[in-house]
Amino acid sequence: MKCQCVVFDMDGVLFDSEALVLQCWELTAEKHQIAHVRSTCQKCLGINAAAAKQQFLETYGADFPYDKYKAEMSALYWEHVQAGKLALKSGVREILAALRENHFAIGIASSTRQVVIQKQLAMFGLENSFDQIIGGDMVQRSKPEPEIYLRACEALGIPPGTAYAVEDSYNGIRAASRAGMHSVMIPDLLPPTAEMEQLAEHIFPDMQAFQEFLFSR
């Protein structure tokens, strides 16, 4: 069957937010002398809040004051957002318009909480651009498990095998692949690995290249 649905991850795919989060974690880490925070954050790419907390505790110990530092990082992140430092990724508005014009179903499956997804979409006037939005707080099992993508496809009424999943993170591609979707990687902070080249059906340098693939055939 021809694919007539695209489900997007959000951070690092629609918004240049992963780089901003990393910057805020590095500022927080410098203040509190938290070692190797960049590599720890990279392990958290694509996973939800609960899984990210677990990763930090495994790295720094059970007594690590994660909630305190996460709140401090988050406050810094929103200061930056309010100052206009959150950017929409190049090509996002164009592909969303093309998908709508060509009657594609459009969804989001992001490990970020749904309320944050809605808030950031509204900041850029995109709150009505998606048919279904599934956040990381709406599922029990974080990416790389496939639950969030299966939930998104169910909400859209689309079989997973007839939908593209657009991801930037390793955990996201693993989740989409396990869900049986046509996984598309557009790298952000991390380059493709041999595993990603095997799991992702397509790897594109940017959103414009994905749009050309969809509509120039």
Side-chain angles (χ1 to χ4, degrees), residues 2 18-19 34 44 64 88 113 139 143 148 174 178:
K2 184 179 179 181
E18 287 183 343
I34 306 169
C44 295
F64 181 76
L88 191 67
R113 291 179 297 125
V139 295
K143 300 174 185 178
I148 194 167
R174 291 167 185 143
R178 291 173 185 176

Side-chain angles (χ1 to χ4, degrees), residues 16-122:
D16 199 15
S17 44
E18 287 183 343
L20 188 56
V21 168
L22 179 58
Q23 179 186 349
C24 294
W25 263 120
E26 288 181 326
L27 290 170
T28 303
E30 182 179 359
K31 178 179 177 181
H32 297 287
Q33 298 182 320
I34 306 169
H36 312 299
V37 77
R38 173 175 283 267
S39 60
T40 304
C41 287
Q42 288 176 341
K43 294 176 184 176
C44 295
L45 293 176
I47 63 179
N48 66 16
K53 179 177 181 177
Q54 185 61 35
Q55 180 65 59
F56 267 79
L57 295 180
E58 289 176 4
T59 301
Y60 298 110
D63 59 346
F64 181 76
Y66 176 79
D67 292 334
K68 173 186 174 182
Y69 294 155
K70 171 65 184 301
E72 190 172 321
M73 183 283 297
S74 183
L76 192 57
Y77 173 81
W78 287 109
E79 284 180 19
H80 284 13
V81 170
Q82 295 301 323
K85 294 183 180 181
L86 178 64
L88 191 67
K89 286 281 206 173
S90 176
V92 169
R93 292 191 189 277
E94 291 81 359
I95 196 170
L96 290 177
L99 291 171
R100 186 64 68 203
E101 182 178 344
N102 287 274
H103 309 292
F104 275 66
I106 312 171
I108 287 179
S110 169
S111 293
T112 297
R113 291 179 297 125
Q114 188 188 42
V115 65
V116 176
I117 298 172
Q118 297 281 10
K119 181 177 181 178
Q120 294 191 169
L121 291 176

Side-chain angles (χ1 to χ4, degrees), residues 3 5 149-150 153-154 157-165 176 178-182:
C3 290
C5 174
Y149 275 114
L150 294 174
C153 289
E154 181 181 12
I158 300 291
T162 66
Y164 292 105
R178 291 173 185 176
M181 300 175 73
H182 298 274

Side-chain angles (χ1 to χ4, degrees), residues 116-157:
V116 176
I117 298 172
Q118 297 281 10
K119 181 177 181 178
Q120 294 191 169
L121 291 176
M123 290 177 63
F124 289 85
L126 298 176
E127 62 270 30
N128 297 317
S129 298
F130 299 89
D131 300 306
Q132 294 290 337
I133 296 172
I134 307 298
D137 54 334
M138 299 170 66
V139 295
Q140 295 296 316
R141 295 178 295 279
S142 173
K143 300 174 185 178
E145 296 302 318
E147 181 182 358
I148 194 167
Y149 275 114
L150 294 174
R151 175 85 178 269
C153 289
E154 181 181 12
L156 289 162

